[in-house]
Amino acid sequence: MPKRIAVIGAGSVGVVLAVAAYERGHDVVLCARRHPEHPTVRLERGDEIHDLPIPIISEPSAAREVDWALLATKAHQTAGAAVWFRALMGWGTTLTVVQNGLNHLDRVAPYVLESAGVLPALAYVAAETVSPGRVRQTFDEGLVVPAGPLGEGLADLLDGSFLPVRRTADFVTESWRKLLLNLALNPVTAMTGRPVGMLRGAGVRPLIEALINEAANVGRAAGANLSPADVDGCLALIDSLPADYGTSMLSDRRAGREMETEAIVGEVVRAADKVGMPAPRSHTLLVLLRALERPAPVLAPAA
């Protein structure tokens, strides 16, 4: 039975979610900060081009209550997206938080009713925004959600689409696996201003491996069931991506937008502090990335 679905956030992951739901026959609307100039949403997947008339709204006053609201903004944009929760969510609405980082439920708790159904989700989607509403997808392995009624509901929603939904009994471990992957890909590309191929260089590869091994040790201390195979999986994915693939943090830095520093590197450092473990590589990256996002000082001219 078709459901009413709103996807909050018209970035790459939001467009992928909207297209997958629309092609399953659901009534989909895409909620964006600004209305794009194009009348349709376009998703390029390999040789396939999906041009779909998915409505895009930029004013919460134009929204109506839905069955499912899928939050696909960056983690640090959650507070700004809360105005959409009030417009879209009723007693029967499930909010799915499709974001990076840990503790998805805590992140949205200040903005939703305690009785609301909230489902955390991890997106394994490599996609880049070409222009507003236009996305090029490199690959996807779908979504990962906790096992249970809400997870089953999302799986039913997208069943048969190109975006599979995998249920897990250990979402803590899955969250750390995704965090390791984000840590492997995002911070150094953002720091250097270069795409993924740079991570495979002889001088950089040992640094990346040490960085994710350090984070995996923190994750294990925090209760995640991580193994050396998880580190190997991150490195294998780096090797599989096109050399010119730009990560989300690299794209944000190039565009002068706030980066997901806190949701990726900050999460590792905070977890390390909580369990009393050193994480010097992650801490160094966090300090440098925070410095990158501060306005550069105005220097007095030389005498």
Side-chain angles (χ1 to χ4, degrees):
M1 179 178 177
K3 301 290 186 180
R4 296 188 309 278
I5 300 172
V7 179
I8 305 167
S12 56
V13 173
V15 168
V16 170
L17 290 169
V19 170
Y22 184 90
E23 294 204 329
R24 288 300 301 140
H26 299 296
D27 179 6
V28 182
V29 64
L30 192 58
C31 305
R33 285 177 294 176
R34 294 178 298 274
H35 201 282
E37 58 188 70
H38 307 291
T40 60
V41 167
R42 170 173 290 187
L43 177 65
E44 300 175 14
R45 300 182 70 248
D47 296 331
E48 302 174 9
I49 296 180
H50 303 251
D51 260 323
L52 302 173
I54 297 174
I56 302 173
I57 59 175
S58 56
E59 293 294 336
S61 60
R64 63 187 179 114
E65 186 178 312
V66 294
D67 300 304
W68 288 80
L70 310 181
L71 177 62
T73 65
K74 301 291 177 64
H76 56 265
Q77 297 168 335
T78 301
V83 64
W84 290 105
F85 303 165
R86 295 188 288 272
L88 296 166
M89 294 184 67
W91 290 103
T93 305
T94 298
L95 174 65
T96 303
V97 184
V98 190
Q99 292 180 333
N100 288 325
L102 308 172
N103 306 311
H104 295 60
L105 303 187
D106 293 343
R107 197 178 302 144
V108 299
Y111 312 109
V112 298
L113 297 173
E114 290 184 9
S115 58
V118 182
L119 176 69
L122 308 168
Y124 283 88
V125 173
E128 295 179 273
T129 298
V130 179
S131 63
R134 299 291 199 255
V135 169
R136 181 182 300 116
Q137 184 178 355
T138 305
F139 81 96
D140 71 73
E141 296 180 0
L143 304 178
V144 180
V145 298
L150 295 182
E152 291 298 325
L154 185 67
D156 290 343
L157 201 73
L158 298 177
D159 183 41
S161 76
F162 61 81
L163 201 63
V165 178
R166 177 166 61 88
R167 283 80 84 197
T168 177
D170 187 357
F171 193 74
V172 169
T173 296
E174 293 292 345
S175 296
W176 271 95
R177 285 180 179 140
K178 179 66 189 297
L179 187 59
L180 293 185
L181 181 58
N182 282 324
L183 190 68
L185 291 169
N186 279 282
V188 177
T189 56
M191 284 285 302
T192 60
R194 296 176 62 187
V196 164
M198 173 270 306
L199 301 177
R200 300 197 279 262
V204 179
R205 181 63 168 248
L207 169 66
I208 300 302
E209 187 169 354
L211 180 66
I212 54 180
N213 269 303
E214 174 185 276
N217 289 335
V218 173
R220 280 189 283 270
N225 185 26
L226 299 171
S227 72
D230 293 306
V231 174
D232 292 341
C234 291
L235 298 172
L237 184 61
I238 289 173
D239 292 338
S240 72
L241 290 171
D244 62 350
Y245 175 72
T247 66
S248 61
M249 279 183 68
L250 174 57
S251 297
D252 286 341
R253 186 187 175 195
R254 285 173 170 171
R257 296 186 295 260
E258 183 179 354
M259 297 183 290
E260 283 193 292
T261 299
E262 299 300 330
I264 296 176
V265 190
E267 290 280 30
V268 177
V269 172
R270 288 188 291 273
D273 289 344
K274 188 173 181 179
V275 299
M277 287 185 65
R281 295 175 182 85
S282 294
H283 190 272
T284 299
L285 273 180
L286 182 60
V287 170
L288 293 173
L289 286 165
R290 284 174 174 171
L292 269 181
E293 295 198 281
R294 287 197 293 269
V298 178
L299 301 179

